[in-house]
Amino acid sequence: MIRKSIILVMISFCILGLTGCTKVIDLTDEETQLIAEYAAELLLKYDINYVDKIEEGQKKEDELLSEMMQTTQETTQMPTEEVEESTDVSEEKEEPASEQETTQSDVIDDKPAVQVETDIAKVLGMDDVTITFRDYAIVDKYPATDEQGEFIYLEASQGYQLLVLHFDVKNTTSDIVNLSLIDKEIDYRIVCNDTKAAKPMLTILMNDLGTYEMNVEPDIQEEAVLIFQVSDGMKDILETIDLYVTYNDSESKIQILQ
């Protein structure tokens, strides 16, 4: 009712204004309706109590659309997060128990059965000499002599001891045999208790089996050694010692302690 009154007032002003002019303009019904609608729109625009239903409906539609898009986005992301969590759990389950166990398993599966021998000379393909194990000792220092007969001492590093393997080198012929191992590509390693492995020390000893070079007289038995460093206290827990000799891509085992 108030809106209709306002519209009538505006139309009255327009009519009064037109009557004051020297020339009267006749308006059609359509033009009169447009003027009335324009005047009403101006009044409603500056009426603080008026709420534009169209604009309000548009705002609600926009808010609803925004909520729907947010819900859709969260729903789409949920499966991805679940997949990532499942992947992490799967990877943790497949992780190997330990590096040492994996390595040992690979070695056992990949390598063929090792030939057990008692004579290193046989492993090296030599027929005129024998190199057989005699005994071993675990010491802090190893005394030896050089060419001039002077003593040479080898000392273990801190926290270690020396494991000395003694071998008998014997000429099986009636002639002098020049035994030279320094130029042969021989690899030695020991394995203690089936778990602890070590390579021999590099020494300047004349009778070191890794660099052995000597003329062996007939029916004369010479001594040769291989020296390894083992952890301090290993002597008290030793159960087995195996010496592995690799030559020409072939590996053999000599049992030192069993």
Side-chain angles (χ1 to χ4, degrees), residues 163-197:
L163 170 60
V164 183
L165 306 184
H166 297 97
F167 297 88
D168 291 328
V169 180
K170 186 176 181 179
N171 182 351
T172 58
T173 70
S174 58
D175 300 321
I176 297 176
V177 174
N178 177 257
L179 179 59
S180 178
L181 303 180
I182 191 171
D183 295 329
K184 294 184 179 295
E185 295 183 358
I186 310 171
D187 181 73
Y188 300 103
R189 66 186 178 95
I190 60 164
V191 177
C192 301
N193 296 343
D194 297 326
T195 57
K196 306 295 184 181

Side-chain angles (χ1 to χ4, degrees), residues 136-142 154-164 190 192 198-199 201 226-238:
Y136 76 91
I138 297 180
V139 295
D140 296 324
K141 297 180 181 180
Y142 176 71
L154 296 179
E155 295 188 46
S157 303
Q158 185 175 2
Y160 292 89
Q161 288 182 299
L162 300 179
L163 170 60
V164 183
I190 60 164
C192 301
K199 294 281 190 178
M201 298 176 62
L226 283 174
I227 302 178
F228 302 83
Q229 280 199 139
V230 295
S231 300
D232 192 15
M234 178 65 71
K235 181 178 181 179
D236 299 328
I237 60 173
L238 272 179

Side-chain angles (χ1 to χ4, degrees), residues 1 6 23 32 52-54 94 116 120 125 136 140 176 186 201 225 244 248:
M1 187 66 181
I6 294 173
K23 184 178 180 180
T32 303
D52 190 344
K53 299 298 183 181
I54 297 177
E94 294 177 357
V116 178
I120 294 180
Y136 76 91
D140 296 324
I176 297 176
I186 310 171
M201 298 176 62
V225 295
Y244 290 85
N248 285 343

Side-chain angles (χ1 to χ4, degrees), residues 124-150:
L124 304 180
M126 298 178 176
D127 300 326
D128 46 8
V129 294
T130 59
I131 306 174
T132 55
F133 170 72
R134 187 176 69 202
D135 57 28
Y136 76 91
I138 297 180
V139 295
D140 296 324
K141 297 180 181 180
Y142 176 71
T145 56
D146 59 12
E147 291 180 320
Q148 287 75 32
E150 296 181 0

Side-chain angles (χ1 to χ4, degrees), residues 63-79:
E63 290 175 359
L64 181 60
L65 181 60
S66 177
E67 290 177 0
M68 292 177 62
M69 292 178 64
Q70 184 176 359
T71 303
T72 304
Q73 184 176 5
E74 292 175 355
T75 305
T76 306
Q77 291 176 351
M78 286 177 61

Side-chain angles (χ1 to χ4, degrees), residues 2 6 37 51 63 76 105 107 111 114 135 149-150 153 161 182 199 201 205 210 214 217 231 248 250-251 253 258:
I2 296 174
I6 294 173
E37 289 178 358
V51 178
E63 290 175 359
T76 306
S105 176
V107 171
K111 286 190 175 182
V114 179
D135 57 28
E150 296 181 0
Y153 287 91
Q161 288 182 299
I182 191 171
K199 294 281 190 178
M201 298 176 62
L205 302 177
M214 188 177 296
E217 299 284 342
S231 300
N248 285 343
S250 178
E251 187 176 58
K253 180 174 72 172
Q258 53 182 325

